[in-house]
């Protein structure tokens, strides 16, 4: 399967100083590729995970001063937007490429998601079969986060994080730049398959 098509210059965009200069390069070089990947990967995700996904590319409309340290295409359950729901994201930063499962603090029904993740923590730990997973919540976007064993305690902690007043979760798998230049779409889809047990629990809250 083809690579994602990112070039080294795409990762270097995030080192550009200044809001306007960085945003210009994001919109010129990175966003069109994310749009295309969203269109191409959403049907593949729907087939592999047996649920419908709609792609949404970040616009960063709320930003006017500080340029984004990463950008992404999100895959969520609604054609109208994604931040109200748990979603999957393909992110790019100066550190590399990242396949993640995310719940933002503004998402609907976070308390219900938190309770369900905690109640399913033991089952989730078994589903991940000792895999190591990275936590991106509040990360510095400079180097890949350290990974943790995705056991019952890990998911219990995710439930606690979701339950906080402004809490959320952001976990997944990353490839540093040298690997991100070569990673293919099959590897990314496999990463989402790894995240499926957690995402399915989050998405089951309606």
């Amino acid at each position: 399967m083809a690579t994602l098509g990112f070039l080294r210059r795409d990762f270097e965009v995030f080192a550009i100083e200044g809001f306007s200069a960085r945003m210009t390069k994001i919109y010129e070089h990175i966003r069109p590729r994310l749009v295309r990947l969203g269109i191409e990967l959403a049907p593949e995700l729907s087939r592999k995970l047996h649920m419908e996904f709609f792609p949404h590319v970040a616009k960063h409309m709320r930003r006017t001063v500080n340029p984004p340290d990463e950008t992404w295409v999100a895959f969520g359950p609604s054609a109208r937007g994604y931040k109200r729901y748990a979603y999957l994201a393909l992110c790019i930063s100066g550190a590399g490429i990242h396949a993640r499962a995310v719940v933002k603090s503004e998402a609907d029904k976070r308390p219900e998601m938190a309770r369900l993740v905690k109640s399913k923590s033991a089952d989730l730990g078994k589903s991940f079969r000792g895999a190591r997973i990275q936590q991106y919540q509040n990360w510095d976007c400079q180097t890949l986060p350290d990974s943790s064993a995705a056991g019952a305690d890990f998911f219990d902690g995710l439930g606690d994080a979701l339950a906080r007043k402004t809490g959320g979760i952001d976990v997944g798998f990353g490839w540093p730049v040298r690997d991100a230049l070569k990673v293919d779409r099959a590897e990314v889809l496999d990463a989402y398959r790894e995240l499926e047990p957690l995402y399915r629990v989050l998405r089951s809250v309606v």
Side-chain angles (χ1 to χ4, degrees):
M1 187 176 279
T3 67
L4 300 180
F6 289 109
L7 306 173
R8 188 169 295 277
R9 72 179 186 192
D10 297 323
F11 301 97
E12 293 169 352
V13 164
F14 298 96
I16 295 173
E17 297 292 338
F19 177 80
S20 295
R22 191 182 303 180
M23 286 303 302
T24 296
K25 292 300 182 183
I26 286 174
Y27 268 73
E28 282 181 2
H29 298 301
I30 299 175
R31 197 171 193 278
R33 193 163 286 121
L34 290 175
V35 169
R36 189 187 74 244
L37 286 168
I39 292 169
E40 294 173 353
L41 290 176
E44 287 293 317
L45 269 176
S46 297
R47 283 193 289 271
K48 284 187 175 293
L49 273 58
H50 306 292
M51 58 183 93
E52 193 168 20
F53 288 95
F54 297 89
H56 303 271
V57 179
K59 296 179 180 178
H60 307 289
M61 297 296 290
R62 296 179 185 176
R63 290 178 177 267
T64 57
V65 179
N66 298 317
D69 290 321
E70 62 176 344
T71 191
W72 57 85
V73 55
F75 301 96
S78 172
R80 300 179 64 182
Y82 64 96
K83 293 184 180 180
R84 292 176 54 197
Y85 312 96
Y87 61 89
L88 299 174
L90 177 64
C91 311
I92 175 173
S93 70
I97 293 291
H98 324 274
R100 284 141 65 177
V102 183
V103 180
K104 291 288 192 183
S105 60
E106 61 263 45
D108 296 341
K109 301 186 178 178
R110 276 195 306 110
E112 292 90 337
M113 291 185 200
R115 287 193 291 271
L116 191 56
V117 169
K118 285 182 71 69
S119 71
K120 300 278 189 182
S121 60
D123 291 338
L124 285 168
K126 292 176 183 176
S127 296
F128 276 76
R129 303 180 304 280
R132 298 190 67 82
I133 194 168
Q134 292 158 319
Q135 294 208 57
Y136 287 85
Q137 195 79 356
N138 301 316
W139 77 301
D140 64 9
C141 296
Q142 304 302 313
T143 57
L144 293 180
D146 292 334
S147 61
S148 304
D153 290 345
F154 176 85
F155 293 105
D156 200 56
L158 288 189
D160 290 337
L162 264 180
R164 297 188 188 108
K165 186 175 180 180
T166 58
I169 60 173
D170 189 343
V171 299
F173 307 99
W175 294 266
V177 173
R178 65 179 181 276
D179 297 327
L181 293 168
K182 300 177 290 184
V183 68
D184 63 33
R185 299 176 193 195
E187 290 176 88
V188 171
L189 291 167
D190 284 346
Y192 290 129
R193 176 65 68 83
E194 286 284 312
L195 292 169
E196 179 185 359
L198 172 62
Y199 183 69
R200 193 169 288 281
V201 167
L202 296 168
R203 186 154 162 173
S204 70
V205 176
V206 295

